[in-house]
Amino acid sequence: MGQKNRLSDLFQILFLGKKISAIAMTEPEAGSDLQGIKTFAKKDGSDYILNGSKVYITNGWNADLVIVVAVTNREAKSPAHGISLFLVEEGMPGFKKGWLMKKMGLHCSDTAGLFFEDIRLPASALLGEENKGFYYLMNELPQERLNIGVHALAHCEWAFEETRNFVTQRKAFGKTIAQLQTVQHGLAELKTEIAVGRAFIDQCISLHAKNQLDSGMASMSKYWPTDLENRVAYKCVQMHGGAGYLWDTPIAKMYVDARVQPIYGGSNEIMKELIARQIVGGGKKK
């Protein structure tokens, strides 16, 4: 009950916006392959000594509280059976924020590298049970991937409306460019693809609400909409012409922000691997 009360207090503070949180998974040599992480929490009596580093951590620079994914059993029958989650708070001795990364897009959030040098963590810093961290994360991944897909579709719909408004006002050859057949066909293609994507995402949301969104469908809900978002962004910038290449044009910002979508949350190449695994594995749903 002690940890539950502590977590309840911490989450209430986060929900009220009094503190910023981050989750530290990715490492220099372990991205989509979470089982390849090297950050290690060694048991020392009832405490743990944490050492390692993380990269590309969203909110890492401003975070007051970080959930750190670390190995706790190097002798486990598989890496997945030896990973745990720890709560590391700002100000703990040995917790260092390495550098604020300069990104191509998504300037609204910070991304940083984090270092952990002999941080002594009390048993209460362990989140959940020891060596169960990988499975806690896996249980939440379908929702995370669906969430990315939902955002991608929303961005597509926004970009479409932004572009439609632009082409109905921009004039060339004595008429708006919306009257050009090539622009009309481009808009028709975008509208169709976005409508198809929206129907699929709505289906995935319905499945998730019933706790029926499996790994394959969750992977599809992440990879296809984020690929679509990048296709939509490319075509919308093209329809804006020179204006689309100006940084103070909203569509230009959307274009660079979209590029990371197929990368984080598990790269789209990994998403295809998970989908294929379900297909060639006899259709088993995991």
Side-chain angles (χ1 to χ4, degrees):
M1 289 298 294
Q3 189 187 57
K4 288 184 178 180
N5 290 336
R6 179 168 176 268
L7 290 177
S8 178
D9 291 341
L10 283 173
F11 291 147
Q12 184 176 10
I13 290 171
L14 294 175
F15 294 151
L16 291 173
K18 295 181 178 179
K19 288 191 176 183
I20 297 174
S21 65
I23 181 165
M25 295 189 287
T26 303
E27 297 185 1
E29 296 182 7
S32 295
D33 178 19
L34 187 60
Q35 296 187 60
I37 64 169
K38 303 298 182 186
T39 296
F40 183 56
K42 181 181 179 181
K43 200 73 179 287
D44 185 38
S46 61
D47 295 343
Y48 295 86
I49 307 298
L50 181 68
N51 282 282
S53 63
K54 301 289 181 177
V55 293
Y56 312 131
I57 307 305
T58 301
N59 288 343
W61 190 256
N62 290 312
D64 302 293
L65 173 68
V66 181
I67 298 175
V68 180
V69 183
V71 175
T72 43
N73 184 0
R74 289 172 171 167
E75 307 301 321
K77 60 181 180 181
S78 75
H81 289 84
I83 291 175
S84 302
L85 306 179
F86 293 91
L87 294 168
V88 177
E89 298 182 59
E90 172 77 9
M92 283 185 166
F95 178 28
K96 299 178 181 178
K97 297 176 179 180
W99 73 102
L100 181 61
M101 297 178 171
K102 294 182 179 180
K103 300 175 295 185
M104 179 170 68
L106 285 184
H107 297 154
C108 60
S109 68
D110 68 89
T111 302
L114 305 177
F115 296 91
F116 315 103
E117 298 179 4
D118 292 326
I119 302 179
R120 180 170 290 276
L121 298 172
S124 59
L126 177 66
L127 186 59
E129 295 182 41
E130 186 177 272
N131 300 321
K132 295 290 184 66
F134 183 83
Y135 299 98
Y136 295 146
L137 294 171
M138 292 302 104
N139 285 337
E140 299 303 321
L141 280 180
Q143 177 170 298
E144 179 195 20
R145 288 165 180 166
L146 174 58
N147 185 51
I148 294 173
V150 168
H151 278 81
L153 249 296
H155 296 161
C156 288
E157 292 177 350
W158 174 87
F160 178 84
E161 293 300 328
E162 185 78 6
T163 302
R164 178 166 64 174
N165 291 336
F166 179 84
V167 300
T168 55
Q169 297 176 37
R170 177 77 165 91
K171 290 186 177 181
F173 309 109
K175 56 186 177 182
T176 65
I177 62 174
Q179 293 176 277
L180 299 174
Q181 187 181 62
T182 184
V183 172
Q184 292 176 356
H185 286 186
L187 290 172
E189 291 169 358
L190 290 177
K191 183 68 174 179
T192 302
E193 287 191 281
I194 292 169
V196 170
R198 179 60 177 265
F200 177 65
I201 284 294
D202 285 348
Q203 179 189 9
C204 290
I205 292 173
S206 178
L207 288 171
H208 179 59
K210 301 173 185 175
N211 200 29
Q212 295 175 358
L213 184 67
D214 61 51
S215 174
M217 287 288 280
S219 298
M220 294 179 206
S221 76
K222 192 270 178 182
Y223 116 73
W224 196 84
T226 55
D227 272 4
L228 175 63
E229 181 183 358
N230 278 269
R231 295 197 302 273
V232 169
Y234 180 90
K235 292 179 181 179
C236 288
V237 167
Q238 189 69 20
M239 290 187 195
H240 274 73
Y245 199 65
L246 299 179
W247 184 243
D248 56 357
T249 304
I251 200 68
K253 293 183 174 68
M254 183 268 187
Y255 181 81
V256 294
D257 287 349
R259 189 59 192 89
V260 76
Q261 293 276 69
I263 298 173
Y264 62 19
S267 71
N268 282 6
E269 290 75 18
I270 295 298
M271 296 302 99
K272 294 174 186 178
E273 285 287 328
L274 295 173
I275 297 165
R277 187 182 302 170
Q278 192 176 93
I279 296 169
V280 299
K284 295 179 180 178
K285 297 182 179 182
K286 298 181 181 180

